[in-house]
Amino acid sequence: MKHQTLDQLQSVADISPLSPALLATRTQRIERWAELLYRNPTRSLVALTGTEHLHPSVRGEARAVGSAISVAFDDPLLRASGMQSDTYGEARRFFELSDWQLHEIVCSCHTGATMQAGWAAGRVRRVLNGSKILAWLRKGFMPH
């Protein structure tokens, strides 16, 4: 094998930049989701109905075409990073959310049948901001 510089290779081959780095951390994945939603903040999204009332086995399979979860699943980077479907259960697993946190983002009891993407993005961002506030509170109240 002959060693060649990048400049030498570019003269004989189509060299494309490395693919974007996969989103390895929970924070990166959640920030990406919020960013995707903020790109079109007035977009109307479908809310999932009554997630808090569904049996856990059914809740995990709940989905709606055109939901905030669908926006995430439509993103090639999130799929490449491991998101496997647009179901409630997969969003819960992939974004490492509690049922309460995901309910706050996608459930119809907060908005009715639809919601604006900007509203959902704000809820997604609150998951991260809430984590920072809790960390700050723990730090302030825990003995050193």
Side-chain angles (χ1 to χ4, degrees):
M1 178 183 278
K2 180 180 174 187
H3 176 76
Q4 294 183 319
T5 67
L6 185 56
D7 289 335
Q8 292 168 325
L9 286 174
Q10 285 179 329
S11 68
V12 295
D14 182 21
I15 306 293
S16 59
L18 295 173
S19 63
L22 298 181
L23 305 173
T25 69
R26 174 184 188 261
T27 298
Q28 289 172 326
R29 293 187 301 268
I30 292 172
E31 285 176 347
R32 175 69 176 188
W33 189 15
E35 174 190 318
L36 293 167
L37 292 164
Y38 271 127
R39 286 183 182 173
N40 187 357
T42 59
R43 176 181 177 184
S44 182
L45 301 174
V46 176
L48 276 67
T49 303
T51 61
E52 73 277 22
H53 300 297
L54 298 174
H55 188 275
S57 64
V58 175
R59 184 183 311 132
E61 295 304 314
R63 63 179 295 278
V65 174
S67 71
I69 298 170
S70 295
V71 170
F73 185 63
D74 287 344
D75 180 54
L77 182 55
L78 288 176
R79 283 197 317 272
S81 298
M83 190 169 190
Q84 299 172 2
S85 74
D86 65 350
T87 64
Y88 181 99
E90 177 58 11
R92 187 173 182 272
R93 180 201 69 81
F94 181 72
F95 293 110
E96 300 177 43
L97 300 172
S98 69
D99 277 316
W100 177 84
Q101 288 171 318
L102 190 51
H103 166 82
E104 288 289 312
I105 297 166
V106 302
C107 191
S108 64
C109 69
H110 303 292
T111 61
T114 62
M115 66 183 73
Q116 288 194 333
W119 183 91
R123 292 291 178 129
V124 169
R125 285 248 162 87
R126 277 180 38 183
V127 168
L128 291 177
N129 293 337
S131 298
K132 291 174 187 172
I133 290 168
L134 290 176
W136 176 80
L137 287 171
R138 273 195 278 314
K139 183 178 177 184
F141 290 107
M142 297 296 286
H144 299 275

